[in-house]
Amino acid sequence: MSSKLSQKMGLGAGGMIGGRIALRLDPQALAHLTTGRRVALVTGTNGKTTSTMMLSRAVSYLGEVATNHGGANMPDGHVTALSKQQDAPYAVLEVDEGYFPEVAKAASPEVAVLLNLSRDQLDRVGEVRTIEKSLRTALAGVTGVVVANCDDIMVTSAARDCRNVVWVATGTGWHNDAASCPRCGDPIRWSGADHWACTNCDLARPRPHWVTGDGYLVAPDGSKVALSLRLPGKFNQANAVMAAAAAHVLGVPAVEAVERLRAVSNVAGRYRTIQRGGHRARLLLSKNPAGWSETLTVVRESDHPAVLAINAHEADGRDLSWLWDVPFERLRGRQVIASGERATDLAVRLTYAEVEHTIVPDPLKAIDAMPDGPVEVIANYTAFRDLNARSAE
């Protein structure tokens, strides 16, 4: 009832309010709602929502799945999602990194998936090494299987001492937040693109059980499965392999898992294309330097004009210094419009990146200002949310 009221009053999607009330009435509601289910938790800085949807689709091969892949990734949202599907024998939950210790303790996951760790809204989330230490401590109490990205130094440090780890090679390209070892502080040395090791202690890249190839995965038995995803980018291939590996732990064959992943075409509005007049605008969400770097790699495959929308509400992080870590230089030579409530801050960064641009604060008007044809629209969290809502009106 409270969720529906929240929607009717325009206060939100109602993904958290019902759970918030339930937790006030019963602080152990999450533990009660996960008892008797086979639970998988998905956490990390980027790709949580996509990977959660992928994993829930894969696990549906086994039976009904309760999930919160709409993005309400704190205990309130978990309780709401689980309450709506109380008879589902499986639960796949996206978990905010900061809440992972609390949720893992309550839910006793059979599988915990660690995607990646990088800087994300420092004024709201905190420093990435603090998050790594928190996850490391929490994982020590996880009795299930941990599926971890061995190409991410922070994730490897957090998961290395766990009882049972399945390592996945994702080909992670963002290493700017782990130039030094999270355990001893000495430099990390890379040997080619596939191996890294601390120059002082024994922290090093583990040998992977699963490998992300260019358009395929390699399973532990050496078999190759073509991904053929509808979602763009190598980072979504990595998300898919992480999801397949986690589903395999629960008993889903790799071929069956991938078959279900191929049907995913958008995730909570991400990657969908809207038609607006003569424009076909593809909506892309990016929230931090690592995410923007991957998204800019995707849009680099074409020379379509780009609208970049930036807000700075609490959910985005009010500190915009992270803009200076995004490689906007990749947009040189194409038509670019800076948009969103903080369009002028973005414009300053684009000027220093030598990217020619104009400023149109309203993202929809920015799309209209582009020539007819395809347009790439990249927005951070609240800018993307608002654009999605307005484009659906």
Side-chain angles (χ1 to χ4, degrees):
M1 179 67 72
S2 54
S3 297
K4 292 181 180 179
L5 182 61
S6 176
Q7 295 171 17
K8 288 181 179 180
M9 295 180 65
L11 299 176
M16 297 182 68
I17 184 64
R20 186 169 300 165
I21 293 172
L23 284 168
R24 288 285 182 90
L25 297 174
D26 177 10
Q28 302 302 314
L30 181 56
H32 295 154
L33 286 167
T34 52
T35 298
R37 306 195 206 225
R38 301 181 70 186
V39 178
L41 304 182
V42 180
T43 196
T45 307
N46 291 305
K48 292 189 293 293
T49 302
T50 300
S51 297
T52 298
M53 173 172 277
M54 287 180 165
L55 181 54
S56 64
R57 291 283 182 91
V59 175
S60 68
Y61 170 79
L62 302 172
E64 185 182 355
V65 181
T67 184
N68 65 327
H69 58 62
N73 59 17
M74 299 177 190
D76 304 345
H78 302 146
V79 169
T80 298
L82 294 167
S83 298
K84 290 178 179 178
Q85 298 168 281
Q86 294 191 33
D87 296 328
Y90 297 90
V92 177
L93 302 176
E94 172 187 342
V95 186
D96 179 271
E97 308 95 286
Y99 284 88
F100 181 86
E102 174 185 343
V103 175
K105 183 177 180 180
S108 301
E110 188 170 338
V111 184
V113 183
L114 273 69
L115 300 170
N116 45 64
L117 286 175
S118 64
R119 283 169 296 154
D120 185 31
Q121 306 164 13
L122 291 177
D123 60 323
R124 188 176 71 87
V125 177
E127 208 276 331
V128 65
R129 290 170 186 263
T130 302
I131 297 296
E132 184 274 325
K133 290 178 182 177
S134 173
L135 290 179
R136 192 194 313 174
T137 301
L139 289 169
V142 171
T143 58
V145 177
V146 176
V147 177
N149 175 3
C150 66
D151 289 328
D152 188 295
I153 295 163
M154 292 292 176
V155 163
T156 301
S157 177
R160 189 188 69 167
D161 301 329
C162 294
R163 299 176 180 85
N164 192 351
V165 186
V166 172
W167 296 107
V168 181
T170 63
T172 299
W174 181 264
H175 309 300
N176 294 23
D177 297 313
S180 62
C181 177
R183 298 212 167 199
C184 73
D186 276 34
I188 295 291
R189 177 178 294 136
W190 283 82
S191 301
D194 296 330
H195 186 72
W196 58 265
C198 177
T199 54
N200 177 51
C201 72
D202 62 351
L203 185 68
R205 181 184 188 263
R207 183 175 181 178
H209 302 96
W210 295 73
V211 176
T212 308
D214 188 7
Y216 61 89
L217 67 75
V218 181
D221 62 3
S223 61
K224 294 174 67 173
V225 180
L227 294 172
S228 303
L229 302 178
R230 297 174 67 183
L231 298 181
K234 290 186 177 180
F235 60 94
N236 277 320
Q237 294 182 28
N239 291 336
V241 179
M242 294 288 291
H248 190 266
V249 172
L250 293 171
V252 182
V255 172
E256 296 292 346
V258 171
E259 182 68 28
R260 282 160 174 73
L261 304 188
R262 291 175 183 147
V264 179
S265 58
N266 80 78
V267 181
R270 304 167 197 194
Y271 313 110
R272 77 182 180 100
T273 299
I274 61 171
Q275 191 72 36
R276 186 173 173 83
H279 306 94
R280 295 187 307 280
R282 180 168 62 164
L283 307 185
L284 303 166
L285 171 67
S286 292
K287 300 180 289 187
N288 49 54
W292 275 85
S293 180
E294 295 290 353
T295 301
L296 291 176
T297 299
V298 171
V299 303
R300 192 168 56 179
E301 297 171 1
S302 66
D303 59 354
H304 300 154
V307 172
L308 314 179
I310 297 293
N311 287 353
H313 296 282
E314 182 178 357
D316 306 300
R318 299 188 186 279
D319 176 11
L320 290 180
S321 60
W322 59 268
L323 289 173
W324 295 88
D325 296 319
V326 177
F328 288 112
E329 288 79 4
R330 297 178 187 174
L331 295 173
R332 290 173 183 168
R334 75 171 72 197
Q335 186 172 356
V336 173
I337 294 179
S339 191
E341 296 172 1
R342 301 299 289 269
T344 53
D345 296 81
L346 174 60
V348 172
R349 172 67 184 101
L350 293 174
T351 298
Y352 276 87
E354 299 179 0
V355 175
E356 293 188 12
H357 61 278
T358 55
I359 298 175
V360 180
D362 186 320
L364 287 180
K365 292 180 179 178
I367 295 171
D368 295 340
M370 289 294 191
D372 287 355
V375 179
E376 306 286 7
V377 182
I378 312 174
N380 70 340
Y381 183 73
T382 64
F384 180 87
R385 179 200 63 193
D386 297 345
L387 181 57
N388 241 324
R390 292 176 64 198
S391 64
E393 293 175 353

